Structures are given as structure tokens and as C-alpha cells.
Amino acid sequence: AVVSTQSTGVVVDGITKGLRESVKKLDKREALMCVLAESTDEKNIIKLVEALCKEHGINLIKIDDAKKLGEWVGLCKIDKEGQARKEVRCSSAVDHNNKQK
């Protein structure tokens, strides 16, 4: 369900990718849900995102791999067979799409 929501959000421009943009959306309370990769090297990133989500009552989902999150939000190339290639790591992503198209 998370992958489906993330994929739909990418198509309709409702996903914010990366720490800087995600923190902006979380701080403005524009986020519906946040996905955080726990494989991030900097532990302060995890603490910051967790604190913002808790403070503003935003749902937080943690996943184990930053490359997997990067693939979910479209930071990869898709080959002819439909397999993801050249995945880019993504520490956090925020769903701020409030209208499904």
C-alpha cells in the first residue's frame, strides 16, 4: 500500500524527496505521511524527522534501505524489462498530495 501511494504521488507531483524539502513540508504541516530510511549514516537526521512527525502528528513509516526508498519515489532508471537500475539513495520522502487524480 505504501509503494502504491508513493508511486501515485510521484505521478501527480505529490511527493517531496530528500531531507531538506521533506523537513520544509513537515515543519509547515503540509505532510500527510513521511517515509524515513533507517540506513541513513547520520543519526541526527532520523531524530529530526521523528521529532517533527511526532510534534505535528504526522504518520511516520520507517524502512530499512535508502535505495529502496529512492526506487519508490522514482529516483532510478527503469530498463526494458521493467527492473529498476541506477537507484539513488533517498533518506526521506513526504506525501503531501491531498487530491488523488
Side-chain angles (χ1 to χ4, degrees):
V2 173
V3 176
S4 173
T5 302
Q6 293 287 336
S7 297
T8 303
V10 169
V11 171
V12 296
D13 194 34
I15 297 292
T16 300
K17 304 164 230 167
L19 179 66
R20 181 181 171 95
E21 297 301 318
S22 294
V23 167
K24 285 181 185 179
K25 291 292 183 184
L26 290 170
D27 199 31
K28 291 180 182 179
R29 298 183 176 145
E30 294 176 357
L32 301 174
M33 172 184 74
C34 180
V35 182
L36 176 66
E38 291 186 317
S39 64
T40 306
D41 296 333
E42 186 64 42
K43 298 304 175 192
N44 288 333
I45 291 173
I46 296 172
K47 290 178 183 179
L48 172 66
V49 173
E50 286 175 341
L52 284 171
C53 287
K54 185 176 180 181
E55 179 181 339
H56 299 309
I58 297 167
N59 294 328
L60 176 65
I61 298 172
K62 295 180 184 177
I63 64 168
D64 57 345
D65 188 19
K67 281 195 173 190
K68 187 185 307 180
L69 181 56
E71 180 183 341
W72 288 357
V73 298
L75 297 175
C76 64
K77 300 277 186 185
I78 306 296
D79 65 9
K80 294 176 186 175
E81 291 82 32
Q83 299 296 319
R85 302 282 183 231
K86 297 184 182 181
E87 300 96 351
V88 176
R89 295 171 51 99
C90 182
S91 61
S92 61
V94 169
D95 184 359
H96 57 87
N97 181 27
N98 53 6
K99 295 181 182 176
Q100 294 287 328
K101 292 185 179 181

